[in-house]
Amino acid sequence: KPARPELVEQQCFLQKGKEEWPSGKRGANGRGVRAMGEMIRMTMDDGAEIAVYHAWPEGERRGGLVLVQEIFGVTDHIRELCDEYAADGYEVLAPALFDREHPGFESDYSGPQFERAVQLAREIHPFDQSLKDAQTCIDALKAKGPVFITGYCYGGSVAWRMAQISPDLAAASAYYGSL
């Protein structure tokens, strides 16, 4: 799915600390669309059970989407993005990739939590496991129609690599990956 100009504009407003998006819509955390998903548990290929944010599509289902987290975990921001795609008709899965090493991890953008996020992404959590977890999510969605993947930061690298190795994707979009 190509980047939507209104989403980019909304993200800029969030980064500038505005309380409302230009559309005036409010929802999860007082911004954006209403929360459409919930945290569930999914069993991955290695038998580990990890948290996954699952957002159901609003209206007719247009496809499945695996949305891969930044190094900061499945944060409010990632859940809001999932809800926005769900509002557009996509069933979305966002796996909490670092759940094996640090269950429930969500980081701030600075300080000790940021340092822990970098440590998890670069030293502790195997990148190949992130690819396997993404494929498990793809497998869970593919029987219902086309599956797409997008990712941000660390997740951008995962999405980029999955576009190369997974035959089950209809399209991929990677944002500022660096691995």
Side-chain angles (χ1 to χ4, degrees), residues 27-176:
N29 297 316
R31 302 182 296 243
V33 298
R34 67 179 170 78
M36 300 180 73
E38 63 181 337
M39 293 303 287
I40 62 170
R41 307 288 298 172
M42 281 182 65
T43 303
M44 299 292 124
D45 79 312
D46 64 349
E49 192 175 271
I50 68 169
V52 176
Y53 188 74
H54 183 204
W56 288 96
E58 187 173 289
E60 186 176 342
R61 187 181 189 279
R62 297 171 69 182
L65 174 68
V66 178
L67 193 147
V68 190
Q69 68 180 52
E70 300 168 303
I71 64 170
F72 311 111
V74 180
T75 61
D76 287 343
H77 175 65
I78 294 299
R79 291 187 295 270
E80 287 174 358
L81 289 172
C82 292
D83 292 339
E84 288 176 12
Y85 280 105
D88 287 340
Y90 294 90
E91 181 180 356
V92 186
L93 294 175
L97 298 175
F98 304 149
D99 242 21
R100 290 173 187 81
E101 298 83 11
H102 192 137
F105 180 74
E106 288 187 41
S107 171
D108 293 331
Y109 295 110
S110 63
Q113 287 184 329
F114 175 79
E115 293 168 16
R116 177 66 173 163
V118 171
Q119 181 186 40
L120 284 165
R122 293 188 180 163
E123 299 171 16
I124 298 174
H125 182 79
F127 185 75
D128 284 346
Q129 189 61 59
S130 294
L131 301 177
K132 292 174 185 176
D133 292 350
Q135 185 61 53
T136 297
C137 291
I138 291 165
D139 291 343
L141 296 168
K142 70 183 182 182
K144 301 181 224 172
V147 180
F148 309 91
I149 191 168
T150 191
Y152 304 85
C153 180
Y154 180 86
S157 296
V158 172
W160 173 78
R161 185 67 179 130
M162 290 307 296
Q164 297 171 330
I165 65 173
S166 178
D168 302 312
L169 290 170
S173 179
Y175 293 90
Y176 51 94

